[in-house]
Amino acid sequence: MKQVFGVLGDPIEHSLSPAMHNAAFRELGMDCEYHAFRVRQKNLKYAISGAQAMGFGGLNITVPHKEKALEFTNPDTLARRIGAVNTVSFNDEIRGHNTDGLGAEMALREAGVGINSSSVVLVGAGGAARAIAFHFAEKGACVTIANRTPEKAEALAKDVGCSHAGLEDLKGLLKDSDILINATSVGMHPHIDTTIASREILHPDLAVFDIVYNPLQTKLLRQAELAGAKPIGGVAMLVHQGAEAFRIWTGQKPPVEVMRKAVLEGLG
């Protein structure tokens, strides 16, 4: 009997997680399958407990449920601090994890960019930004949160213990920074002509990481190339956060390149 895994979200039709994880299961010859399930927020508790009751191997949690899922799991220390869960494991208990921050770190590391002692400007204050901010701060990065709504940036910075600024300060912040991260949906399909920063405020010593993966090359990444900066796309984060979830569920080394290929094929 196949073991079932899944991702819960609303909407969920766009998810590339089924293609990514099913490719990994096939590669390792595992009798498992992964599906996407649209779940309304009012039913999230029952979906998670029902998955455990039916013997699911694990779950991913995506928008808009990451914060709410904290209530229905026993979160590990990092997920509790972040205030959001994106991965659920079922062993002796319903355990909540958050792999988004590690996924972002691995994306940068893969591109040859270290985060320890680096100066990071993180644009955004939502769920993904929270995960990245906490993880990077714990790894020794000096993080500054910049957001369109300064109050949200201030609140996240207070939780993390880092500095904050408004988007109007971005030009000044980037002058002495090592890494710029876009953790917002700006530039995502279909709004592909938008960007958080233009080439004029970027510089050649900057790594520019956009967590948006559709399109593969966002306007921000094109601007980074024009400025001579190092552009890093969002597919790597998607793959590495998924790979860590796979490791948590199965205890096996995930076939990262197989997972990446499945995502790229899914994006066409």
Side-chain angles (χ1 to χ4, degrees):
M1 183 176 177
K2 289 184 182 292
Q3 188 164 42
V4 178
F5 297 77
V7 56
L8 312 182
D10 183 20
I12 199 62
E13 294 78 11
H14 67 286
S15 178
L16 293 170
S17 292
M20 178 170 66
H21 285 290
N22 284 322
F25 291 138
R26 286 193 299 270
E27 177 70 14
L28 298 182
M30 299 174 68
D31 193 18
C32 303
E33 56 187 34
Y34 185 111
H35 300 280
F37 300 94
R38 185 181 182 188
V39 174
R40 303 290 189 188
Q41 193 155 73
K42 66 180 181 179
N43 295 322
L44 182 63
K45 175 182 179 180
Y46 309 111
I48 293 173
S49 61
Q52 183 196 37
M54 290 188 291
F56 276 43
L59 292 172
N60 284 130
I61 308 292
T62 190
V63 291
H65 301 324
K66 292 183 181 183
E67 290 81 8
K68 193 69 175 175
L70 202 73
E71 299 177 23
F72 310 129
T73 65
N74 180 13
D76 63 21
T77 302
L78 181 59
R80 187 182 299 278
R81 286 195 65 206
I82 292 170
V85 164
N86 81 330
T87 299
V88 178
S89 61
F90 302 120
N91 292 312
D92 297 331
E93 61 180 347
I94 301 176
R95 190 77 163 149
H97 315 264
N98 195 307
T99 67
D100 282 335
L102 178 62
E105 179 192 357
M106 292 300 295
L108 288 169
R109 188 187 300 178
E110 192 175 80
V113 178
I115 64 173
N116 184 264
S117 301
S118 62
S119 176
V120 179
V121 176
L122 176 62
V123 177
R130 288 188 66 85
I132 294 170
F134 276 101
H135 185 85
F136 279 39
E138 286 194 350
K139 292 291 183 175
C142 178
V143 180
T144 299
I145 312 294
N147 193 57
R148 180 178 57 188
T149 308
E151 294 80 10
K152 290 185 177 180
E154 183 178 5
L156 176 54
K158 183 178 180 180
D159 289 344
V160 176
C162 65
S163 57
H164 64 91
L167 278 184
E168 67 276 7
D169 301 317
L170 195 57
K171 181 178 180 179
L173 291 172
L174 291 178
K175 285 182 180 179
D176 299 314
S177 296
D178 305 305
I179 302 169
L180 167 65
I181 302 176
N182 174 36
T184 75
S185 61
V186 174
M188 183 184 293
H189 181 82
H191 306 293
I192 60 174
D193 291 324
T194 57
T195 180
I196 61 166
S198 61
R199 61 181 295 187
E200 289 77 19
I201 66 171
L202 307 176
H203 58 80
D205 295 324
L206 191 67
V208 179
F209 174 37
D210 196 339
I211 74 166
V212 170
Y213 57 81
N214 186 10
L216 288 172
Q217 189 179 49
T218 61
K219 184 173 182 178
L220 175 61
L221 297 181
R222 294 197 303 272
Q223 292 295 299
E225 285 188 344
L226 290 171
K230 179 189 285 287
I232 303 168
V235 165
M237 177 177 167
L238 173 67
V239 170
H240 283 292
Q241 64 80 27
E244 181 60 18
F246 187 94
R247 192 192 315 274
I248 290 169
W249 297 327
T250 69
Q252 301 224 30
K253 182 179 180 181
V256 172
E257 291 311 313
V258 169
M259 298 170 80
R260 190 194 316 272
K261 182 181 178 183
V263 168
L264 292 173
E265 287 176 351
L267 288 169

